[in-house]
Amino acid sequence: MIKIKIPATSANLGAGFDALGLALNYYNYVNMEESDGVNIVSLDGTEIPTGEDNLIYASAKSLYEICGRKFTGLTIEQTNSIPIARGLGSSSACIIAGLAGANRLMGDPLSLDELVNLSAQIEGHPDNTAPALLGGIVTAVFDGKVVHWVKQEVHTKLKFVVIIPDFELKTEKARECLPQDISFGDAVYNLSRAALFSASLLTGKYENLRTAVHDKLHQPHRMKLIPHAREVFDTAYSLDAYAMYLSGAGPSLMAIVDEENEFFAGKLRFSLDRMGLGTWQVKELAIDNIGTSIE
Ligand code: HSE
């Protein structure tokens, strides 16, 4: 049985829609081996599909088919920490587990680049799948077939404090509310900020991050689907967060915070409780520079 560890991911990072994403130290674990038929169990009680429609299973099976290998079935044991449909890359984690796991079981016929390409083809965009596989912060352009990417390790003691609402928001729905066209000015607004984000994160110019996370492509439209999001942003800024952005398609909200801002998460928890958001979770995370690993 191989054991796969896959990190959660946070995509977009404000202005880098479908282009920027980073991996976080919050993990799903998947044990996998070849077997006869479909045997899928959840080890932690999370409700998961246990048939052929299971995303890990389906992704793994597709890789066997692509490689022209005989496929009889798989035994899969899942431990799911990453919450589903919350903007933390849960579906990408399943796709990567399936592809990376199947690749290992077959003796690694596919290269890392091929796995990056295939996972983006399945997900439709690379900004969760690539960092889930590679770790660190990943800048990626998906041309429809191939992902042109750079992974950079981030050595920072910045904290990524994620606020996870108590409801799901499917990426499909959160993409439906996006505009078909944007103006030239808005395009410049976004591309300049996306570029500023990674350069500032990697060089330690954290005072730029608040400007860098602003965007005109998706957050203004999606924030309307998340009640209290604006209030939570304002509260986090009043507690000295460097930056606040919508994680992926939402509904999770991400605060980037200095390590010396020791009591940020506790104070935010207190404020959320006072806003009547006691069922929303607050988790203090850090960047994972390793990505998916297999034992
Ligand atoms: N870039 C994608 C989106 C991420 O914003 O729709 C979804 O997880």
Side-chain angles (χ1 to χ4, degrees), residues 151-162:
K151 167 203 170 171
Q152 287 163 295
E153 291 192 8
V154 187
H155 294 286
T156 170
K157 298 218 168 113
L158 285 178
K159 297 184 276 196
F160 284 72
V161 179
V162 64

Side-chain angles (χ1 to χ4, degrees), residues 11-12 16-20 87-89 91-92 123 125 127-128 171 174-175 178 218 222 247-250:
N12 298 332
F17 183 79
D18 278 2
L20 295 179
L88 290 167
S91 63
S92 290
E123 181 75 317
H125 46 86
D127 46 336
N128 290 108
T171 299
R175 287 179 90 92
L178 303 179
H218 72 110
R222 289 171 164 173
S247 184

Side-chain angles (χ1 to χ4, degrees), residues 12 18 24 57 67 84 87 101 104 152 160 165 174 191 212 232 240 245 263 267-268 272 275 279 283 292-293:
N12 298 332
D18 278 2
L24 295 161
Y57 186 91
C67 294
I84 293 166
R104 178 57 52 88
Q152 287 163 295
F160 284 72
L191 68 87
V232 176
D240 292 330
Y245 69 88
F263 303 111
K267 287 181 189 165
L268 188 63
L272 291 180
M275 284 178 213
T279 50
K283 275 193 178 296
T292 293
S293 57

Side-chain angles (χ1 to χ4, degrees), residues 2 15 28 32 50 69 88 98 115 140-141 150 159-160 174 187 218 224 240 248 265 275 277 279 282:
I2 56 168
N28 279 0
M32 191 188 279
T50 53
R69 301 285 181 96
L88 290 167
L115 289 176
V141 171
V150 172
K159 297 184 276 196
F160 284 72
H218 72 110
K224 294 177 193 149
D240 292 330
M275 284 178 213
L277 304 177
T279 50
V282 176

Side-chain angles (χ1 to χ4, degrees), residues 117 120-121 126 140-148:
N117 294 340
Q121 286 162 12
V141 171
F142 180 41
D143 66 15
K145 271 190 171 164
V146 171
V147 180
H148 307 267

Side-chain angles (χ1 to χ4, degrees), residues 2-5 96-97 100-104 108 292-295:
I2 56 168
K3 295 181 192 329
I4 314 161
K5 179 181 175 187
I96 293 297
N103 198 44
R104 178 57 52 88
D108 291 323
T292 293
S293 57
I294 306 181
E295 282 173 20

